[in-house]
Amino acid sequence: MPSNRRIKILNIPVDMVEYPAAMEIFRKLMSSAGCSQIVTPNSEIIVNATKDKELKEIIEQADLVIPDGIGLVYASRIMGMPLSERVTGIDFLSSILEYLEETGQSVFFLGSKPGDGGAPGIAELAAEKIKEKYTNLKIAGVHHGYFKEADEQELISKINASGADFLCAALGSPKQEKFVFTHRNQLNVKAAIGVGGSLDVWAGTLKRAPEFYRNHGLEWLYRFIQQPSRYKRMAALPLFMIKVLLSKLKGGK
């Protein structure tokens, strides 16, 4: 079981880590046996985990749970165990890619839309862009995220045959968490992370919020401006804060 120092928000565990501590844990995971799982919950995922027993148990058993969202920082202050900062999945992934490049280890990118009419898929585009920045990074393979459950064993074989040391699964939550957890004993990679739409950002098909929005905890507002159709998902943040306040008033976690 994980021994990291954790806070519980709505009874869902989150590691009390900053970037350096998260990377220190990651480096240890890459040296340990088996496939370690890293999850990146934000407010929406925490709320979903309170209603999804399987997702809750996956987060509880994950080897590293980074606080990916300003809502978690605010909630931790309400709970009296403040997180000093959030550790976003996409920034943490960048640090991981830098580490893999330095150590000569390889990564497999899994997720997002497949190619169409001869055009490359999002994972391929993201891999090309990432290779421009991390020129010595070994990319063992890529695969889109539009697969069925019946295809999963073939996909696991492809990942293992690639010889990848690390798996980046950008399948959206909870699919990415459940995919890794279900197959972690079959996967030969040393660790795997779920990072939502990070490949779309790397590929350039989805713009990341400018630094002003990120520094002021307003990425959710930028996403809403970009994708108004996400308004139902945007409602998760105020719902999350209400649940945290009610939980605190009731003396719970």
Side-chain angles (χ1 to χ4, degrees), residues 5 70 77 86 104 124-125 140 175 193 207 214 233:
R5 186 179 177 222
I70 193 66
R77 293 171 183 169
R86 60 180 177 150
E124 285 102 335
L125 285 173
K175 183 177 180 179
I193 190 173
K207 289 185 178 178
R214 299 201 301 267
R233 295 182 63 180

Side-chain angles (χ1 to χ4, degrees), residues 15-27:
D15 284 324
M16 300 188 71
V17 291
E18 301 173 353
Y19 280 100
M23 277 306 297
E24 182 178 349
I25 294 170
F26 170 76
R27 286 190 286 269

